[in-house]
């Protein structure tokens, strides 16, 4: 009998701890919080392996380097008994695709229009983890995005939603606009049931992708995804894809915005991030003129700062080249002499699109002959001015 009462006591303790972590999550503004076991995603490791073996991670070598730990939470931390997954809705007030019709404006994806969500979510997770650890006397670790944790399948296993055909987590209550984070703990908390797939025959997200980045439903080839190309990829972007990027200069929201479940998303919570006014529809002209110090101060506290001025201006030049707007010519001409090769290369491409053929040939004939960067030289070749 004493054994049984010890077990009842332990069950009660775990119930109280489970309720505690969920109440804390709600108090700190998380829209969803549910729990799963670390062994709940047995198929994820193999699928991650297929993704990497097919080269779909592109130049994100960190995915291949961490594949063992990433594929199984127990390899990352052998003592983990429960995985608490948190989600925060960041749905925009208006359909973010409206700006795609304004070629002199630059589209920054919704998640990056304010402070870096990593900082905000991590701060809140740390608060919860500190209070939880003190109360439970158990170990905890918190993760947001950058750790080798497969957040989406874990979230689906915990029942926060399901992985939609665009591969991101979709919830019936919040649609596709969710940030995820997790807390691993040695406490054996009470787990929740997984959610089932509610995509049905819908393929809106797959059809919405401007670059055909989905080789099949539920699978992405990051090498074609505008989010990867504008944020993660460092060098020149495939010339065949550049025209498809339009004015998207940082990330892409098209597949998320196309999801019909968004219309069921609950009203904005008070703790939701509001977009910075000046990042909603910034002018391409203003962004082309950013040098390193002005870039850093304009994007202070924003995730955009992470990619650095050169990669950012590379993206803005692609938008300028796609705009058909000759008002950007002067800015592109001065960027063709920029110190950064990736900027020079993309300025040449933008000019080749904005200038008349003869005008471009005359400009090319006068170019300095001391260029030695292979990417820039390649750009001249591609533009027919070898
Ligand atoms: C690498 C990465 C990227 C890469 C690759 C995207 C990808 N889908 O993997 C790039 C740079 C392209 C990217 C882009 C974006 N990302 Co990102 N990214 C990540 C990261 C760091 C790892 C994801 C990962 O493990 N990918 C590897 C693949 C193999 O895993 P997977 O996508 O889960 O693949 C599953 C499916 O393919 C599925 N599957 C395969 N075959 C089949 C078959 C069937 C029948 C079924 C059902 C399933 C299935 O099984 C796989 C394993 O679960 C996570 C953070 C994290 N640590 O998890 C954020 C994360 C996924 N990104 C996020 C966001 C917000 C974005 C963007 C919207 C940002 C933007 N606006 O530009 C875009 C969305 C693009 C898209 N459609 O995915 C959020 C998504 C939140 C959510 N609601 O799910 C995350 C979780 C970050 C966070 N903490 O909030 N991202
Ligand atoms: S984020 Fe944009 S480019 Fe990437 S998969 Fe979704 S729709 Fe395609």
């Amino acid at each position: 009998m004493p054994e049984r009462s010890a077990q009842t006591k332990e069950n009660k303790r775990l119930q109280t701890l489970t309720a505690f972590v969920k109440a804390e999550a709600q108090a700190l503004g998380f829209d969803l919080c549910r729990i799963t076991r670390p062994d709940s995603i047995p198929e994820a490791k193999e699928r991650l392996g297929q993704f990497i073996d097919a080269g779909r991670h592109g130049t994100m070598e960190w995915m291949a380097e961490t594949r063992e730990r990433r594929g199984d939470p127990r390899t990352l931390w052998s003592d983990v008994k429960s995985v608490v997954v948190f989600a925060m809705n960041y749905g925009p007030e208006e359909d973010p695709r409206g700006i795609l019709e304004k070629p002199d404006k630059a589209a920054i994806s919704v998640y990056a229009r304010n402070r870096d969500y990593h900082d905000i979510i991590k701060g809140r997770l740390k608060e919860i983890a500190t209070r939880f650890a003190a109360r439970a006397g158990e170990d905890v670790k918190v993760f947001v995005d950058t750790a080798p944790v497969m957040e989406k399948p874990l979230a689906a296993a915990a029942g926060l939603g399901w992985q939609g055909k665009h591969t991101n987590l979709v919830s019936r209550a919040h649609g596709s606009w969710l940030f995820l984070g997790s807390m691993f703990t040695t406490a054996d908390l009470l787990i929740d049931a997984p959610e089932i797939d509610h995509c049905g025959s819908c393929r809106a997200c797959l059809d919405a992708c401007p670059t055909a980045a989905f080789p099949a439903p539920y699978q992405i080839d990051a090498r074609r995804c505008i989010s990867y190309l504008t944020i993660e990829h460092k060098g020149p972007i495939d010339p065949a894809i550049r025209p498809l990027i339009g004015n998207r200069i940082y990330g892409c929201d098209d597949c998320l915005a196309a999801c019909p479940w968004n219309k069921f998303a609950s009203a904005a919570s008070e703790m939701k991030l509001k977009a910075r006014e000046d990042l909603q529809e910034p002018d391409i002209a203003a962004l082309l003129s950013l040098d390193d110090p002005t870039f850093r101060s304009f994007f202070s506290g924003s995730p955009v700062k992470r990619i650095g001025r050169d990669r950012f201006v590379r993206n803005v030049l692609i938008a300028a080249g796609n705009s058909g707007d000759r008002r950007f010519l002067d800015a592109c001409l001065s960027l063709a002499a920029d110190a950064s090769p990736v900027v020079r290369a993309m300025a040449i491409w933008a000019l080749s699109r904005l200038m008349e053929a003869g005008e471009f040939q005359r400009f090319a004939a006068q170019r300095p002959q001391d260029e030695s960067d292979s990417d820039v030289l390649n750009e001249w070749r591609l533009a027919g001015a070898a």
Side-chain angles (χ1 to χ4, degrees):
M1 275 304 131
E3 212 175 275
R4 210 161 136 201
S5 91
Q7 202 173 358
T8 314
K9 213 168 147 198
E10 177 59 4
N11 281 348
K12 188 106 191 88
R13 184 181 86 93
L14 295 173
Q15 252 174 28
T16 312
L17 284 176
T18 304
F20 176 76
V21 74
K22 290 185 175 183
E24 287 286 306
Q26 200 180 8
L28 283 182
F30 286 103
D31 294 288
L32 298 166
C33 168
R34 292 169 70 97
I35 301 165
T36 190
R37 290 275 172 260
D39 61 357
S40 61
I41 53 168
E43 68 295 332
K45 188 174 183 172
E46 196 189 326
R47 287 171 172 173
L48 173 67
Q50 286 164 357
F51 171 84
I52 291 168
D53 293 339
R56 290 180 178 168
H57 60 306
T59 54
M60 297 184 288
E61 279 99 14
W62 42 270
M63 293 200 80
E65 284 155 15
T66 57
R67 67 193 276 175
E68 285 306 312
R69 275 173 291 152
R70 191 173 287 274
D72 185 343
R74 293 162 299 180
T75 314
L76 180 66
W77 188 23
S78 58
D79 293 336
V80 58
K81 293 220 179 68
S82 309
V83 177
V84 187
V85 191
F86 303 81
M88 190 175 283
N89 176 260
Y90 69 101
E93 319 243 305
E94 283 167 22
D95 189 328
R97 292 170 294 183
I99 191 177
L100 302 176
E101 307 304 319
K102 302 177 186 172
D104 59 331
K105 306 282 181 191
I108 295 180
S109 66
V110 174
Y111 89 84
R113 292 182 186 172
N114 204 304
R115 282 173 54 208
D116 196 330
Y117 77 91
H118 298 95
D119 301 342
I120 294 168
I121 293 193
K122 194 130 198 188
R124 291 183 193 176
L125 287 186
K126 278 185 181 162
E127 272 188 58
I128 296 175
T130 307
R131 286 207 278 272
F132 178 84
R135 185 162 175 143
E138 304 271 4
D139 287 338
V140 291
K141 292 183 202 280
V142 295
F143 305 107
V144 182
D145 191 36
T146 49
V149 172
M150 292 189 77
E151 297 174 334
K152 295 180 287 179
L154 283 167
L160 280 81
W162 68 98
Q163 280 189 263
K165 289 177 187 172
H166 51 29
T167 80
N168 283 336
L169 193 88
V170 187
S171 134
R172 285 202 288 177
H174 300 283
S176 283
W177 303 104
L178 290 166
F179 293 133
L180 300 177
S182 61
M183 180 179 90
F184 286 23
T185 173
T186 50
D188 215 346
L189 300 174
L190 307 190
I191 60 163
D192 295 295
E195 170 66 295
I196 56 160
D197 187 333
H198 294 281
C199 284
S201 59
C202 175
R203 46 173 293 125
C205 59
L206 307 179
D207 295 337
C209 180
T211 52
F214 301 109
Y218 308 102
Q219 292 182 38
I220 193 168
D221 186 340
R223 292 169 298 184
R224 292 194 68 84
C225 174
I226 294 170
S227 182
Y228 163 79
L229 291 167
T230 55
I231 302 174
E232 303 290 341
H233 181 72
K234 295 192 178 72
I237 292 172
D238 181 351
I241 296 186
R242 289 175 206 163
L244 309 176
I245 291 178
N247 61 348
R248 300 170 189 80
I249 60 155
Y250 189 92
C252 172
D253 290 322
D254 292 32
C255 51
L256 303 189
C259 177
W261 285 101
N262 294 335
K263 61 174 175 273
F264 301 110
S266 39
S269 80
E270 273 173 37
M271 307 189 73
K272 205 155 81 166
L273 278 175
K274 287 257 181 298
R276 245 173 72 178
E277 194 82 19
D278 55 355
L279 292 187
Q280 286 193 22
E281 293 197 347
D283 287 327
I284 288 181
L287 300 179
L288 284 173
S289 70
L290 293 176
D291 58 12
D292 201 49
T294 48
F295 170 81
R296 283 166 179 277
S297 90
F298 187 62
F299 288 110
S300 168
S302 150
V304 177
K305 193 171 166 193
R306 193 162 67 85
I307 66 170
R309 177 265 179 187
D310 295 346
R311 216 187 306 170
F312 179 77
V313 173
R314 171 202 68 179
N315 298 344
V316 183
L317 280 162
I318 292 179
N322 286 330
S323 69
D325 192 333
R326 288 178 58 89
R327 283 177 303 163
F328 301 141
L329 272 181
D330 285 349
C332 294
L333 280 167
S334 62
L335 290 169
D338 196 82
S340 156
V342 78
V343 170
R344 288 201 300 282
M346 229 30 59
I348 294 163
W349 181 79
L351 288 165
S352 74
R353 306 255 303 175
L354 294 176
M355 286 173 159
E356 304 293 338
E359 190 184 11
F360 182 76
Q361 286 309 327
R362 283 193 296 283
F363 162 66
Q366 290 162 9
R367 71 186 187 271
Q369 293 304 307
D370 57 352
E371 179 63 64
S372 59
D373 184 85
S374 59
D375 289 336
V376 182
L377 291 169
N378 190 42
E379 218 51 60
W380 281 117
R381 250 190 313 276
L382 289 172

